[in-house]
Amino acid sequence: MPTVVEGHLTSAGLRVAIVASRFNAFIVDRLVDGAVDALVRTGCADADIAVYRTPGAFEIPQVLRRVVDAGRYDAAVCLGAVIRGGTPHFEYVASSVTKGIAQVAATSPIPVSFGILTCDTVDQAIDRAGAKAGNKGAEAAMAAVETANLLRRLEAAE
């Protein structure tokens, strides 16, 4: 039987930054609420959660870079909602945000989770922010927690 090393879903003692956009706040606020709720339910203290609000999703990677570089957090969760409209703007923003977050994550010493909704309709976004499809903010927070715990296990084994 192979050795399996994985993280666990306990956030006690973790310091978590949430970088979330204000644009489409009626969706993103639900994602933030879901993330905070998931963190608190798994043991994270309110005082160990910081929420950084950006004007829009496009600004998330820049703020994320500063948050990671500050060295105060064990994990970062990125939350936003980019909803398709009648112009190509959606493609540019969704692509830029995805690439920007991925670039930061690739060089980050802490886990960075991706909770940016890229939806065709408002209804799809609502479904993913706590309705039919669960809360993607909570899922992103738990991915960050699990990865943070996995990284701690890897460091302890070195």
Side-chain angles (χ1 to χ4, degrees):
M1 190 76 184
T3 301
V4 177
V5 181
E6 54 189 1
H8 54 285
L9 296 174
T10 303
S11 60
L14 293 178
R15 294 160 301 154
V16 181
I18 298 171
V19 183
S21 66
R22 279 195 325 268
F23 195 78
N24 287 324
F26 66 101
I27 299 295
V28 180
D29 289 350
R30 292 178 182 188
L31 297 173
V32 171
D33 290 346
V36 170
D37 180 63
L39 291 167
V40 170
R41 284 179 185 260
T42 58
C44 194
D46 281 332
D48 289 333
I49 303 168
V51 180
Y52 295 87
R53 295 307 288 251
T54 64
F58 187 82
E59 293 79 21
I60 289 173
Q62 183 176 25
V63 173
L64 173 64
R65 170 51 61 201
R66 288 286 185 98
V67 165
V68 167
D69 289 348
R72 290 190 297 263
Y73 301 100
D74 300 301
V77 181
C78 299
L79 302 174
V82 184
I83 302 170
R84 188 178 303 278
T87 67
H89 184 73
F90 169 87
E91 282 83 7
Y92 302 135
V93 173
S95 177
S96 294
V97 170
T98 301
K99 287 177 186 174
I101 292 171
Q103 286 175 341
V104 173
T107 60
S108 174
I110 64 170
V112 173
S113 68
F114 186 87
I116 308 297
L117 301 181
T118 54
C119 300
D120 290 324
T121 67
V122 171
D123 287 339
Q124 287 176 347
I126 290 169
D127 285 346
R128 288 160 178 78
K132 295 177 186 175
N135 188 303
K136 300 304 179 186
E139 290 177 21
M142 290 299 88
V145 165
E146 185 174 353
T147 306
N149 286 315
L150 174 58
L151 292 177
R152 283 183 170 183
R153 290 188 73 187
L154 288 169
E155 288 171 10
E158 293 176 351

